[in-house]
Amino acid sequence: MPELPEVETVRRGLAPVMEGRKITRVILRRSDLRKPFPKGFQKRIEGARVKTVARRAKYLLLHLDTGDVVIWHLGMSGQVRIYAKGEAVPKPQKHDHVEFHLQHGATIRFTDPRRFGLMDLGFEDTLDQHALLKDIGPEPLSNHFSAPVLQARLSGKRIAIKQALMDARVVAGVGNIYASEALYRAAISPKRSAASIGPKRAAALVGAIVGVLSAAIRAGGSTLKDHRTTDGELGYFQHSFAVYGRPGEACPDCDCNVAKTGGIKNIVQGGRATFYCPRRQR
Ligand SMILES: [Zn+2]
């Protein structure tokens, strides 16, 4: 599933292609993804110029010069592909559901095999109040995110910190992978109660979240470059993780005796896999 860094990398791939261009044509090959497309979707978009390609949490936001905003979620397995002007666009396959044709000839294709993706429309003036966006917490890579802000959002929560971090109302866009990775960096046990996070741990956690997301965006950026020279596909990258997906291994920063400790532990919290080092994370 794309997490914030993947969506941000897609945004950075789309921005130079879409910004300043008119959307000349929208092709929908079905009437819905996770939800039906809004009524008049094509009509409201066709002929409009894309001002900016922004992002909020895991939503891409295409701000149009008409005041409309396309709110676009990539779902679990959505992929975005850019075909430059003059490049042959292959015949659509079964899961190629949406196409944006742009002035000057580029085509953006959205492929979503599991159809957990979503496209909706909002108004720029009232975007914060849109049902999909209004309850989302602070954006982790903005200056609205700080230790006091995080601590306030965790206070009184009786759930484990790992689960709290995955709640978009606490912080935007931190999913399963980066919650495990950030807790590892901050040396905090994923099982610790969210309410027990004091100022010191909150500060460590804020630094860890920003650090882990920024590193992943940098990694995505380099992958993006490679991808664009080959087939233009955006969306998935193999990052190197410290604990995620590495049960039984020694974690990078500590002197775990794996034979004795069993190394990185894999537990299930709220139905999702968590990875952590019991020796380093308290
Ligand atoms: Zn360790």
Side-chain angles (χ1 to χ4, degrees):
M1 166 147 180
E3 293 204 23
L4 188 150
E6 285 77 21
V7 180
E8 176 60 21
T9 305
V10 172
R11 188 196 72 74
R12 291 179 184 192
L14 288 176
V17 182
M18 297 193 93
E19 287 179 354
R21 297 283 151 78
K22 260 186 192 164
I23 299 174
T24 51
R25 199 172 160 214
V26 179
I27 298 177
L28 305 180
R29 295 209 165 83
R30 43 181 307 128
S31 60
D32 63 345
L33 297 171
R34 186 188 345 152
K35 293 198 321 183
F37 291 98
K39 277 207 180 81
F41 185 72
Q42 286 150 296
K43 245 192 182 165
R44 263 172 76 182
I45 297 170
E46 283 178 348
R49 189 181 301 276
V50 179
K51 289 196 299 184
T52 54
V53 182
R55 178 188 57 75
R56 175 78 171 109
K58 295 189 230 175
Y59 291 98
L60 289 166
L61 305 171
L62 310 180
H63 289 259
L64 308 179
D65 64 354
T66 51
D68 284 329
V69 180
V70 178
I71 303 168
W72 178 6
H73 196 286
L74 302 176
M76 300 287 282
S77 55
Q79 285 182 315
V80 178
R81 208 176 265 260
I82 299 170
Y83 299 94
K85 177 191 177 180
E87 200 178 329
V89 180
K91 224 176 91 182
Q93 302 296 306
K94 191 175 168 200
H95 302 299
D96 297 337
H97 301 311
V98 183
E99 257 169 49
F100 295 108
H101 293 219
L102 302 173
Q103 174 194 26
H104 302 322
T107 300
I108 314 288
R109 178 177 275 178
F110 181 48
T111 307
D112 186 7
R114 296 172 67 184
R115 268 190 285 121
F116 282 113
L118 166 76
M119 284 192 193
D120 203 351
L121 283 170
F123 300 108
E124 191 164 50
D125 295 351
T126 54
L127 199 61
D128 290 351
Q129 270 77 63
H130 190 283
L132 292 169
L133 306 175
K134 67 178 168 49
D135 294 325
I136 297 178
E139 194 63 37
L141 300 179
S142 76
N143 44 22
H144 301 295
F145 189 53
S146 65
V149 165
L150 179 63
Q151 203 193 331
R153 289 186 178 251
L154 294 173
S155 73
K157 281 204 184 307
R158 294 182 169 278
I159 54 171
I161 182 64
K162 157 82 180 338
Q163 285 167 274
L165 290 181
M166 290 176 61
D167 180 344
R169 290 166 299 187
V170 170
V171 52
V174 176
N176 198 40
I177 295 174
Y178 296 108
S180 277
E181 291 291 306
L183 285 165
Y184 170 75
R185 281 201 185 200
I188 295 171
S189 167
K191 298 191 285 188
R192 174 176 280 279
S193 140
S196 77
I197 300 293
K200 252 179 122 171
R201 284 195 173 90
L205 204 40
V206 165
I209 290 168
V210 171
V212 82
L213 293 176
S214 305
I217 289 169
R218 278 196 301 276
S222 52
T223 318
L224 173 63
K225 239 195 258 154
D226 300 342
H227 266 103
R228 294 192 67 201
T229 56
T230 52
D231 60 2
E233 183 180 311
L234 307 174
Y236 294 93
F237 324 106
Q238 244 358 84
H239 302 307
S240 51
F241 300 122
V243 288
Y244 187 84
R246 300 183 54 212
E249 293 180 41
C251 69
D253 291 338
C254 75
D255 52 352
C256 296
N257 180 347
V258 174
K260 242 171 142 179
T261 63
I264 293 165
K265 257 191 144 172
N266 177 12
I267 58 171
V268 175
Q269 293 179 290
R272 306 296 302 275
T274 300
F275 299 88
Y276 71 108
C277 171
R279 189 184 151 106
R280 185 179 152 89
Q281 295 175 250
R282 301 292 165 126

